[in-house]
């Protein structure tokens, strides 16, 4: 039997040993396939004669029938990938105990898109949506010159239709579609006609599943007003807001476009409520503060007013804390009010800090542009190894903003995050000295290629004024700061301790190469330091390698970093996006 050898081809060897045939006719069946890498798995998966090898009832008559149909079968499979003029040679070898078929496939040139014609009818024209139509055409996936396949053709149509359904036109549908193949030119002309249907508007909202908690919690979160134009993003946004409130374990938000009127489609919210109170425990490990155990308590109906209380007791090797926060449901004006109290102790780099802090905070705005104002009073005791201890009291007011402009908050690929805060102790009568603290942190995500991503980070802090407490000063180093250096090991040296400083500057540039959809490798450079003057703020550097995993909870990373100034390697772990 003849064999072929070519550098562009791989050989796929498939064996079938049906038990029935061995016992009855003692015949083995075998198929060899030579085809380009991109097509050999396709043929292996879909060729009927290959699939029959796993059938224990395969016999000689069935084998001969499949052989007779094999060429047409292979042509049909290759046509789905745009190969309409393949050369398929099949050689057979029939022996007493072996039936063997050998396929050699020369697929020929792949068909490419020569012309695309997309037509729209329906309200999309009546609503003067010419810019929308142009954008849909520009985003069409199979532009002229692109390789054609049935799979890509189907995906392009589904994407186009999904874009219309998600935006204003939930009844959009394809009237007709056609792919005209020109075999002699290896070209295809595509034509698709879509009826957008009418423009839908939202009606009133109906809430189902409410038992423990007041439906007003959902009503105050709802940004959708009767008469608003239908948009799936609005429904998804409402679903997210309800889940983030913390009162519900599952939420489903939809619009009844089938039974409701076009100009008032009801919005239906179905919820499953969480238990009123829960108690949980946990354990973990941080390369910053060591091993930890934690006890959490949550009550979602404090005073019978649907106020939410969240408390936690956390013990770590380097830090211990007792926290409690009372949160009021969002008001009709969109304000989110909370009252917090914290007792904590940290012992890091020779500085032991004990605090008692109470704060009142009001936040508002969507996650894309979130703001807050707050006020608080802090009592602090600091003990430094080899230096004097101190006790301070400050009353502060604060303001902050957070901008989120990323394509996916859980695992961003493109966009940026920015957080800016200012805190001030303006009155000598309430504080041991006046000061202003300013802090800015930004992180940007840049897709350089399909699986290559650049992540940059910059962090700046400054304290101006008098006797600021250690809680408002800066130290650097650790997992989310300058990797390669111990947690908060960069700052002012006082006695045998590293104390906080007035100025902070850290940054990072990280290149991530995703090897699969979930796993990737990273190389990075970190820099930064903390000092009492800008002149003495000299950054130190670190270099490292890491592994990344896109887990369901967000990106998880493990890094090995080398600190240039210390000459030491350190291991770091990080979870999620810290904004």
């Amino acid at each position: 039997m003849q064999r072929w050898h070519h550098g562009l081809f791989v050989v796929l060897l498939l064996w079938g040993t049906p038990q029935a045939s061995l016992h009855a006719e003692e015949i083995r069946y075998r198929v060899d396939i030579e085809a380009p890498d991109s097509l050999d798995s396709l043929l292996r998966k879909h060729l009927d004669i290959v699939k029959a090898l796993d059938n224990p009832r395969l016999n000689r008559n069935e084998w001969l029938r499949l052989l007779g149909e094999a060429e047409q079968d292979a042509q049909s499979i290759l046509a789905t990938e745009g190969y309409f003029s393949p050369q398929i040679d099949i050689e057979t070898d029939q022996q007493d105990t072996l039936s063997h078929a050998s396929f050699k496939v020369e697929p020929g040139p792949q068909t490419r898109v020569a012309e695309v014609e997309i037509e729209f009818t329906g309200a999309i024209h009546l609503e003067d949506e010419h810019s929308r139509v142009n954008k849909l055409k520009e985003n069409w996936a199979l532009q002229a010159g692109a390789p054609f396949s049935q799979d890509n053709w189907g995906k392009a149509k589904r994407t186009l239709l999904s874009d219309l359904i998600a935006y204003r036109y939930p009844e959009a549908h394809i009237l007709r579609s056609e792919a005209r193949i020109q075999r002699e030119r290896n070209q295809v002309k595509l034509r698709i006609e879509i009826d957008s249907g009418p423009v839908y508007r939202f009606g009133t909202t109906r809430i189902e599943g409410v038992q423990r908690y007041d439906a007003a919690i959902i009503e105050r979160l709802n940004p959708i007003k009767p008469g608003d134009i239908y948009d799936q993003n609005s429904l998804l946004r409402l679903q997210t807001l309800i889940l983030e409130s913390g009162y519900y374990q599952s939420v489903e938000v939809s619009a009844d476009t089938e039974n409701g009127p076009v100009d008032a489609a009801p919005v239906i919210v179905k919820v499953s409520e969480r238990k009123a109170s829960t108690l949980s425990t946990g354990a973990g490990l941080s390369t910053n503060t060591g091993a930890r155990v934690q006890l959490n308590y949550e009550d979602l109906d404090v005073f019978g007013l649907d106020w939410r209380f969240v408390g936690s007791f956390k013990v770590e090797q380097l830090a211990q804390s007792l926290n409690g926060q009372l949160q009021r449901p969002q008001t009709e004006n969109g304000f989110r009010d909370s009252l917090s109290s914290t007792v904590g102790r940290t012992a890091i780099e020779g500085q032991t800090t004990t605090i008692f802090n109470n704060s009142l905070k009001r936040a508002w705005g969507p996650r894309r542009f979130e703001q807050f104002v707050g006020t608080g009073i802090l009592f602090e005791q600091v003990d430094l190894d080899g230096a004097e201890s101190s006790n301070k009291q400050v009353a502060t007011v604060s303001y902050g903003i957070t901008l989120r402009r990323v394509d996916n908050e859980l695992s961003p690929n493109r966009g940026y995050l920015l957080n800016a805060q200012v805190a001030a102790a303006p009155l000598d009568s309430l504080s041991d000295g006046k000061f202003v603290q300013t802090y800015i942190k930004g992180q940007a995500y840049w897709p350089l290629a399909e699986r290559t991503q650049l992540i940059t980070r910059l962090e700046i802090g400054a304290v101006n004024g008098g006797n600021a407490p250690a809680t408002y000063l800066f130290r650097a180093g650790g997992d989310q700061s300058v990797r390669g250096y111990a947690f908060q090991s960069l700052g002012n040296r006082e006695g045998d301790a590293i104390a906080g400083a007035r100025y902070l500057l850290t940054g990072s540039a990280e290149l991530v190469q995703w090897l699969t959809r979930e796993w990737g490798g990273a190389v990075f450079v970190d820099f930064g330091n903390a000092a009492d003057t800008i002149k003495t703020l000299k950054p130190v550097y670190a270099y490292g390698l890491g592994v990344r995993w896109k887990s369901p909870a967000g990106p998880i990373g493990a890094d090995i970093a080398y600190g240039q100034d210390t000459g030491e390697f350190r291991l770091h772990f990080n979870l999620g996006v810290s904004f």
Side-chain angles (χ1 to χ4, degrees):
M1 181 180 66
Q2 183 181 359
R3 285 185 171 273
W4 296 273
H5 300 275
H6 196 289
L8 294 177
F9 292 89
V10 296
V11 177
L12 170 66
L13 184 62
L14 300 167
W15 286 88
T17 313
Q19 297 300 316
S21 296
L22 281 174
H23 292 300
E25 299 178 283
E26 296 293 332
I27 297 176
R28 293 176 300 164
Y29 299 96
R30 171 179 164 181
V31 175
D32 289 343
I33 299 178
E34 290 189 16
D37 288 345
S38 59
L39 298 175
D40 94 328
S41 60
L42 183 74
L43 292 167
R44 176 181 59 179
K45 182 177 180 180
H46 296 289
L47 268 176
D48 288 341
I49 195 169
V50 174
K51 292 188 290 185
L53 295 176
D54 294 326
N55 184 356
R57 297 184 178 181
L58 180 61
N59 55 43
R60 189 179 294 273
N61 289 334
E62 178 66 8
W63 172 260
L64 293 174
R65 185 188 69 80
L66 291 170
L67 273 176
E69 299 175 355
E71 182 175 354
Q72 182 62 45
D73 189 19
Q75 289 177 345
S76 299
I77 294 169
L78 294 171
T80 64
E81 292 298 306
Y83 297 97
F84 294 100
S85 303
Q87 179 66 41
I88 302 172
D89 295 324
I90 304 175
E91 288 193 1
T92 60
D93 184 11
Q94 303 292 338
Q95 302 176 12
D96 291 340
T97 59
L98 175 66
S99 291
H100 178 209
S102 180
F103 289 71
K104 182 180 179 182
V105 178
E106 292 277 3
Q110 187 176 18
T111 297
R112 293 186 173 272
V113 177
E115 182 181 313
V116 181
E117 183 181 353
I118 304 176
E119 294 183 5
F120 293 93
T121 60
I124 194 168
H125 281 305
L126 300 177
E127 294 291 320
D128 193 24
E129 286 276 8
H130 295 301
S131 60
R132 182 69 180 176
V133 166
N134 291 335
K135 185 176 181 180
L136 289 168
K137 290 181 178 180
E138 290 173 2
N139 293 337
W140 172 254
L142 277 178
Q143 298 289 349
F148 175 82
S149 72
Q150 289 292 342
D151 187 47
N152 290 339
W153 172 227
K155 286 180 180 178
K157 290 188 287 185
R158 290 193 296 272
T159 300
L160 178 62
L161 190 59
S162 296
D163 287 346
L164 273 176
I165 290 174
Y167 173 81
R168 295 194 180 193
Y169 308 104
E171 287 191 356
H173 60 281
I174 296 175
L175 291 176
R176 59 185 62 86
S177 64
E178 183 180 39
R180 296 181 180 178
I181 307 298
Q182 298 177 322
R183 295 175 182 268
E184 67 282 358
R185 297 183 180 180
N186 298 306
Q187 293 180 345
V188 59
K189 292 185 178 181
L190 305 178
R191 184 176 182 276
I192 181 171
E193 185 178 348
I194 290 185
D195 183 357
S196 70
V199 176
Y200 271 77
R201 294 180 180 272
F202 290 123
T204 57
T205 299
R206 184 170 74 243
I207 302 172
E208 301 176 2
V210 171
Q211 296 177 350
R212 296 186 183 92
Y213 313 118
D214 194 336
I217 295 174
I218 296 174
E219 292 168 354
R220 288 194 291 265
L221 292 170
N222 189 5
I224 300 174
K225 307 300 180 187
D228 287 353
I229 293 178
Y230 173 94
D231 187 348
Q232 277 190 359
N233 288 333
S234 298
L235 299 174
L236 292 173
R237 177 62 182 154
L238 174 57
Q239 181 171 294
T240 300
L241 289 172
I242 297 172
L243 278 173
E244 289 176 347
S245 71
Y247 291 89
Y248 310 97
Q249 62 182 7
S250 66
V251 180
E252 180 183 341
V253 179
S254 61
D256 188 357
T257 57
E258 293 184 4
N259 302 312
V262 170
D263 58 349
V267 177
I268 302 172
V269 178
K270 297 180 180 179
V271 298
S272 175
E273 298 175 329
R274 295 179 58 197
K275 294 180 179 179
S277 59
T278 57
L279 183 66
S280 62
T281 60
L285 176 67
S286 166
T287 46
N288 279 346
T289 51
R292 70 174 180 274
V293 293
Q294 188 168 338
L295 178 67
N296 303 304
Y297 174 74
E298 185 175 25
D299 189 337
L300 300 179
D301 194 17
V302 179
F303 311 132
L305 298 174
D306 295 330
W307 288 24
R308 182 183 179 194
F309 174 79
V310 180
S312 68
F313 176 56
K314 182 164 60 176
V315 178
E316 300 175 279
Q317 288 177 278
L318 302 181
Q320 303 82 42
S321 64
L322 177 64
N323 302 286
Q325 184 180 69
L326 186 63
Q327 302 172 345
R328 181 186 177 193
Q330 180 171 302
T331 69
E332 293 182 0
N333 295 324
F335 294 122
R336 303 180 291 276
D337 299 326
S338 61
L339 176 65
S340 302
S341 184
T342 301
V343 178
R345 177 184 180 276
T346 60
I348 300 170
E349 294 294 326
Q351 175 179 295
T352 300
T353 307
T354 305
I355 66 165
F356 175 51
N357 187 43
N358 293 284
S359 61
L360 182 64
K361 180 180 177 181
R362 165 166 282 187
W364 68 94
R367 287 185 61 80
R368 282 179 58 83
F369 183 27
E370 191 173 10
Q371 303 178 70
F372 79 86
V373 293
T375 182
I377 184 165
L378 169 72
F379 301 92
E380 177 192 83
Q381 178 181 329
V382 176
D383 297 307
L384 297 172
D385 293 349
E388 293 185 1
S389 301
S390 64
N391 293 279
K392 293 179 181 177
Q393 169 189 323
V394 292
T396 60
V397 292
S398 57
Y399 170 76
I401 62 171
T402 300
L403 302 179
R404 298 177 177 91
R405 301 289 192 274
V406 290
D407 54 354
N408 185 319
E409 284 195 22
L410 195 62
S411 184
N413 182 58
R414 179 192 302 272
Y416 67 90
L417 301 163
L418 177 67
N419 174 253
Q421 300 180 34
V422 59
L427 301 175
D428 282 324
S429 58
L430 296 177
S431 304
D432 296 329
K434 294 187 292 185
F435 70 90
V436 176
Q437 184 214 54
T438 306
Y439 175 80
I440 301 174
K441 180 181 179 181
Q443 193 153 305
Y445 300 84
W446 316 80
L448 302 182
E450 184 178 356
R451 290 191 173 184
T452 307
Q453 181 184 36
L454 175 65
I455 303 174
T456 57
R457 172 178 53 83
L458 185 65
E459 184 182 31
I460 301 172
V463 174
N464 302 102
N467 198 20
T471 301
Y472 287 91
L473 297 176
F474 303 105
R475 290 188 284 180
D479 299 343
Q480 301 293 331
S481 181
V482 186
R483 289 164 288 188
Y485 299 84
F487 181 53
Q488 295 190 356
S489 63
L490 301 173
N492 284 335
R493 177 163 291 280
E494 295 186 22
D496 298 324
I498 300 297
R502 292 183 174 274
Y503 294 96
L504 171 74
L505 173 65
T506 72
S508 176
E510 180 173 307
L511 190 67
V512 181
Q513 180 64 49
W514 294 103
L515 306 176
T516 68
R517 293 179 65 89
E518 291 83 24
W519 290 94
V523 57
F524 59 86
V525 178
D526 290 357
F527 67 89
N529 214 329
D532 264 346
T533 66
I534 295 179
K535 288 184 179 180
T536 58
L537 185 60
K538 298 180 180 180
V540 297
Y541 293 87
Y543 317 94
L545 301 171
V547 177
R548 299 291 179 266
W549 175 43
K550 290 182 180 179
S551 78
I556 294 177
D559 299 319
I560 294 287
Y562 172 76
Q564 181 174 292
D565 276 31
T566 62
E568 297 178 351
F569 290 91
R570 298 189 70 88
L571 177 65
H572 297 272
F573 292 102
N574 48 76
L575 170 64
V577 180
S578 57
F579 270 85

